[in-house]
Amino acid sequence: APPAPPAPPSYSSVAAGTASSSHLNRPSLPLPPPPPAPPKPTPAPTTAAASQWQWATGRSGPAVLPVKMSGGSVPQIQINLGTKVVQGPPVPVPPAPKEEVTMPLAVQDYVARAFATCRTDVERAEMKRLLKTRVEDARARDMLVRTNWATEPLPTFVSSSLAPPPPPPPPASAPSSSLTPLTLITAPEDTRKRKADDQPAQKKKNKGRKARMLEAAADEGAELSSVTVVGTCQTLEKDYLRLTSAPDPATVRPEDVLARALDHVKKVWRQKGNYKWTCDQLKSIRQDLTVQCIRNKLTIEVYETHARIALEKADRGEFNQCQSQLIGLYGDAIDGNVPEFTAYRMLYYVYTESASATNVLLSSLVDAPALARAPAVEHAVAVMHAHVTRNYHRFFTLYKSVPNMGSYVMDMYAGREREAALTAIIAAYRPTIALDFVASELAFDSLAECVKFVTDLGKTLTPDRRAIVCK
């Protein structure tokens, strides 16, 4: 009989290390494989369990159901708590505030002036369409603020095309028995009689309209070719009178007399300096030149003389009228002091701060290099650059060395620039700034003038009145 197999080592003997090596080194018999476990039934995935699979990452994660929002509907918020889905109460969503578009005041005034020209609802509707197109175009080109809406032409349209169609004529039929033949005959006669009675009044009205047109054209310097006359008056001095009828040749001075009249006015101005009389005489000379359609070197001399005198007396209205006429005369290639008055115009645009007019003028200098290199024009360009960059030191340095009569133009806005410069100086210095330095930087003629300017602005001076307290 085969020997009995040794007993397997106990847990205590193995733990104590006393088990026989024969038992430890004895190869173990292979064990039969365990029976396969029965398959577990797979439960149907719920909405929460299915949503645990993240299709974006390929990993399973917490179930988070998306929140759908469309329009102004109230969203339903679902919160996953384990395997249960709890539906919370609806949360109201406030509507997004509408963006308010505020138009600049200049655009609002432009729109008001445009609607003031409309007389019917049809015209107002068409004007609204045209204004909307123009304003949206300006906004798209970022020109809504930079456009000079005060001089922008208003939209125009043909009123007749907007008028409602006339009603169709009534069908031809026999006259009603209530209308007698006498009534049908006398009605047109009465109408013709009323028209004949209105003819003198209409002629008088047309005559007054023509006189007003002549007056406006003469004041603005337009060419009156239809009423051109050749003057015969030999008087040097003649008061200025607005035209109320066609000009009389006996009251209009010819060109040679106007040349002598201009020399006479210059002489009297240098002797007496009476601006009211001088301005009246120069306007009379301008009117005689206009009604005779004289546009030559004499015309330019008259307007340049009047512009200089008006500039000296700070009469901006007459100065601007003369400048407007000189632009047209220079455009006709008539010799004149083009650099001088171009510089005046550039300095005046600094006063009005008109960016559009400044850009147009600077663009025109690109095609006129000789004009751009003129000393007066170069000085005016430097002034414009100093003003735009807020370089007050450079600005008042140029103010001291302005050529011709440009200082009279810069005097129009010197006070405005001094106030802005003083504000910048006080903000930059502590605790005080000497009045001598301020007077020199702001180009004052004397220290007393600087003190008066500073105190009028309400600035505080030190007890010795030699410095400004910067605070």
Side-chain angles (χ1 to χ4, degrees):
S10 63
Y11 172 77
S12 57
S13 62
V14 173
T18 58
S20 174
S21 60
S22 61
H23 294 288
L24 294 176
N25 297 328
R26 182 180 179 180
S28 60
L29 298 178
L31 298 176
K40 296 182 180 181
T42 304
T46 61
T47 303
S51 62
Q52 291 180 359
W53 182 263
Q54 298 182 1
W55 295 99
T57 59
R59 299 189 300 271
S60 62
V64 179
L65 298 184
V67 179
K68 297 184 178 180
M69 299 177 63
S70 62
S73 60
V74 180
Q76 301 292 331
I77 299 178
Q78 294 183 352
I79 306 172
N80 182 23
L81 301 177
T83 59
K84 296 183 179 180
V85 177
V86 181
Q87 185 170 350
V91 179
V93 177
K98 296 182 179 180
E99 182 181 0
E100 297 183 359
V101 180
T102 303
M103 291 294 177
L105 294 179
V107 179
Q108 298 179 17
D109 179 68
Y110 176 79
V111 172
R113 288 189 289 109
F115 277 113
T117 62
C118 302
R119 293 171 294 179
T120 63
D121 294 339
V122 179
E123 292 182 356
R124 280 188 283 272
E126 179 66 12
M127 181 62 72
K128 181 179 179 180
R129 184 186 67 81
L130 295 175
L131 287 173
K132 182 178 179 181
T133 302
R134 181 164 297 187
V135 172
E136 288 181 351
D137 179 66
R139 182 186 298 169
R141 293 185 293 108
D142 196 19
M143 294 293 293
L144 195 62
V145 178
R146 293 181 289 176
T147 301
N148 188 2
W149 295 100
T151 59
E152 185 73 9
L154 298 177
T156 57
F157 49 81
V158 181
S159 300
S160 59
S161 63
L162 302 177
S173 60
S176 175
S177 59
S178 61
L179 298 177
T180 62
L182 179 62
T183 306
L184 294 175
I185 295 174
T186 55
E189 290 180 356
D190 293 342
T191 304
R192 286 195 296 269
K193 184 177 179 181
R194 287 196 300 270
K195 290 183 178 179
D197 294 340
D198 293 342
Q199 284 181 0
Q202 185 66 26
K203 289 181 179 179
K204 184 177 180 180
K205 183 178 180 181
N206 292 339
K207 185 177 180 181
R209 184 183 297 112
K210 183 178 180 181
R212 289 194 298 271
M213 291 174 63
L214 291 174
E215 173 190 347
D219 288 343
E220 296 178 3
E223 294 186 3
L224 304 177
S225 57
S226 59
V227 292
T228 302
V229 298
V230 178
T232 60
C233 180
Q234 300 296 317
T235 305
L236 292 181
E237 297 183 10
K238 190 183 79 170
D239 294 338
Y240 169 75
L241 297 174
R242 291 183 178 272
L243 289 176
T244 57
S245 61
D248 183 7
T251 61
V252 178
R253 293 164 291 184
E255 183 176 350
D256 58 333
V257 178
L258 291 174
R260 289 189 281 114
L262 177 61
D263 294 337
H264 174 69
V265 171
K266 289 180 181 179
K267 181 179 179 181
V268 175
W269 165 252
R270 286 191 293 265
Q271 292 176 354
K272 300 182 179 179
N274 187 347
Y275 178 70
K276 183 178 181 181
W277 179 88
T278 304
C279 181
D280 184 78
Q281 293 298 314
L282 289 172
K283 291 178 69 175
S284 178
I285 295 175
R286 287 163 47 186
Q287 187 181 67
D288 288 351
L289 290 169
T290 301
V291 298
Q292 297 178 96
C293 294
I294 299 175
R295 294 173 66 86
N296 53 21
K297 194 170 183 179
L298 174 62
T299 309
I300 285 188
E301 185 180 359
V302 171
Y303 278 102
E304 288 181 348
T305 301
H306 199 172
R308 293 189 185 100
I309 296 176
L311 195 58
E312 184 177 350
K313 303 304 293 185
D315 189 349
R316 288 196 294 269
E318 291 296 335
F319 173 75
N320 287 330
Q321 288 184 20
C322 295
Q323 275 279 53
S324 300
Q325 295 303 318
L326 286 172
I327 293 173
L329 292 169
Y330 294 151
D332 295 340
I334 304 175
D335 292 337
N337 296 292
V338 180
E340 176 187 354
F341 283 88
T342 301
Y344 293 159
R345 188 146 49 105
M346 298 174 71
L347 294 176
Y348 187 79
Y349 288 158
V350 176
Y351 167 69
T352 59
E353 296 184 330
S354 176
S356 59
T358 301
N359 292 334
V360 171
L361 183 55
L362 292 177
S363 300
S364 65
L365 295 179
V366 177
D367 301 328
L371 178 61
R373 288 193 298 267
V377 176
E378 288 183 343
H379 178 275
V381 171
V383 171
M384 297 175 71
H385 184 267
H387 173 261
V388 171
T389 58
R390 295 295 186 264
N391 189 341
Y392 299 112
H393 176 80
R394 177 65 174 161
F395 180 87
F396 286 106
T397 301
L398 295 169
Y399 175 69
K400 298 176 183 178
S401 59
V402 58
N404 301 321
M405 299 181 65
S407 59
Y408 290 100
V409 183
M410 297 185 69
D411 283 341
M412 298 179 186
Y413 48 91
R416 179 189 69 191
E417 300 302 319
R418 280 170 173 161
E419 183 175 354
L422 182 62
T423 302
I425 290 173
I426 291 178
Y429 286 84
R430 288 294 185 276
T432 60
I433 182 67
L435 276 172
D436 293 340
F437 172 78
V438 175
S440 176
E441 283 293 306
L442 304 186
F444 282 105
D445 294 334
S446 64
L447 183 61
E449 184 181 357
C450 179
V451 170
K452 184 179 184 306
F453 177 80
V454 171
T455 54
D456 289 345
L457 293 178
K459 306 302 179 183
T460 305
L461 301 180
T462 57
D464 58 357
R465 299 178 66 84
R466 292 182 177 273
I468 306 172
V469 178
C470 300
K471 63 178 181 178

